[in-house]
Amino acid sequence: MAPIIRAERLELYYGTHPALRGITMDLPANQITALIGPSGCGKSTFLRTLDRMNDLVPTVSIRGRVLYRGEDIYAPGRDVTALRKQIGMVFQKANPFPMSIYDNVAYGPRTHGIRDRGRLDAIVEESLRGAAIWDEVRDRLKKSALGLSGGQQQRLCIARALAVEPDVLLMDEATSALDPISAARIEELILELKQRYTIIMVTHNLQQAARVSDRTAFFLLGEVIEYGPTGQLFSMPRDKRTEEYITGRFG
Ligand SMILES: Nc1ncnc2c1ncn2[C@@H]1O[C@H](COP(=O)(O)OP(=O)(O)OP(=O)(O)O)[C@@H](O)[C@H]1O
Ligand SMILES: [Mg+2]
């Protein structure tokens, strides 16, 4: 199966500090890939290179390539807004905009020029259903998103990401700020979303990686030490450092 995203010899420096040291990795479509590893090893940096969020950091320099559906996303003239429509991001801390639930979800589609009320209504409903929060908010769509619980806010942010019909969802510790019940809901949701999206998720929760992901990559000091089917990586790691990490001996 052709990968939907491929990183090739990807290097990233913050000033002179190497945060990614030559990463080559194929990410398959309609699979959940988990990125694990100790703090500061480059997981978030890698995730952000996939939708060019690091471009916003002035000291960053990047070498190598990231191919999305075979095309280099760093090629000159590449439309970054269009890229971010195809590759959506959900962050650790839910970050709803200070506006109504409806407007949060309609924000992206409106940015992309959709004005028709009926069409927006349909997108908002479908996205909220997709993020498993419709039943909880259908009667309060005009109320502020800031009045939702943390777990609801995170599902709203997932709905907001889905509203622009992305292809890939990047999730950076999307459940780590939530109580166990909300986190479990989002985990279930991630498994449902896999039917339609490619998901790449950073998690510190190794049980979570083992439960939901198809493939896991172990990062250490800006390198991918081991990458393979999740069951195999957790039960029979090939590298000693992976084994030490997953058995809790460091990190
Ligand atoms: N904006 C930045 N400017 C300078 N250095 C940065 C910046 N962001 C990250 N770094 C550095 O790059 C390295 C990788 O950081 P990154 O955030 O990717 O790690 P991480 O694996 O996501 O860690 P954590 O698990 O703690 O979130 C670290 O040494 C970090 O200090
Ligand atoms: Mg991080």
Side-chain angles (χ1 to χ4, degrees):
M1 191 170 47
I4 191 163
I5 294 179
R6 175 177 171 80
E8 267 178 15
R9 298 182 302 277
L10 184 65
E11 294 174 33
L12 184 144
Y13 287 79
Y14 292 109
T16 56
H17 174 73
L20 300 178
R21 300 163 182 260
I23 291 184
T24 296
M25 200 172 159
D26 280 339
L27 297 149
N30 293 90
Q31 298 254 297
I32 301 175
T33 302
L35 311 181
I36 62 168
S39 184
C41 66
K43 304 177 299 293
S44 297
T45 298
F46 178 71
L47 203 67
R48 288 195 303 262
T49 58
L50 305 182
D51 73 346
R52 291 190 52 172
M53 292 279 279
N54 293 310
D55 291 21
L56 307 169
V57 181
T59 59
V60 159
S61 56
I62 294 172
R63 271 182 246 149
R65 302 203 297 170
V66 175
L67 306 179
Y68 165 64
R69 294 189 177 276
E71 295 194 29
D72 187 2
I73 67 170
Y74 287 95
R78 179 85 197 205
D79 180 346
V80 179
T81 309
L83 176 76
R84 298 218 183 101
K85 183 177 182 302
Q86 290 155 322
I87 303 183
M89 175 84 89
V90 177
F91 298 91
Q92 176 174 17
K93 197 168 175 306
N95 56 345
F97 303 136
M99 50 178 81
S100 73
I101 292 167
Y102 184 100
D103 288 341
N104 262 273
V105 184
Y107 187 91
R110 281 178 175 140
T111 309
H112 294 288
I114 298 174
R115 291 271 171 270
D116 179 73
R117 185 66 202 215
R119 204 161 150 222
L120 283 174
D121 286 354
I123 291 171
V124 168
E125 177 172 343
E126 196 193 325
S127 306
L128 290 167
R129 283 189 189 280
I133 189 180
W134 171 250
D135 291 336
E136 288 157 75
V137 300
R138 60 189 303 168
D139 299 326
R140 54 195 283 203
L141 294 176
K142 296 287 159 201
K143 299 260 166 60
S144 171
L146 304 180
L148 297 171
S149 73
Q152 289 172 328
Q153 287 189 9
Q154 192 62 302
R155 277 178 286 141
L156 175 68
C157 290
I158 293 172
R160 190 174 66 192
L162 299 182
V164 296
E165 299 183 337
D167 212 11
V168 179
L169 272 183
L170 308 176
M171 301 184 138
D172 198 348
E173 298 187 53
T175 66
S176 67
L178 301 177
D179 67 275
I181 291 171
S182 305
R185 280 231 47 199
I186 298 208
E187 260 186 37
E188 276 168 37
L189 174 59
I190 291 171
L191 285 168
E192 281 166 33
L193 294 174
K194 183 183 131 174
Q195 317 290 330
R196 291 173 62 187
Y197 306 93
T198 300
I199 296 174
I200 304 163
M201 58 185 284
V202 172
T203 180
H204 275 123
N205 182 333
L206 299 183
Q207 282 82 19
Q208 179 175 69
R211 271 193 303 268
V212 307
S213 72
D214 300 294
R215 297 174 69 80
T216 298
F218 172 55
F219 278 66
L220 189 62
L221 294 171
E223 287 182 278
V224 173
I225 301 299
E226 187 162 347
Y227 173 45
T230 296
Q232 186 186 313
L233 188 135
F234 279 98
S235 61
M236 279 184 297
R238 277 178 273 122
D239 194 287
K240 189 138 193 350
R241 292 162 293 178
T242 314
E243 185 184 352
E244 285 173 351
Y245 184 71
I246 63 176
T247 54
R249 266 173 275 164
F250 79 85

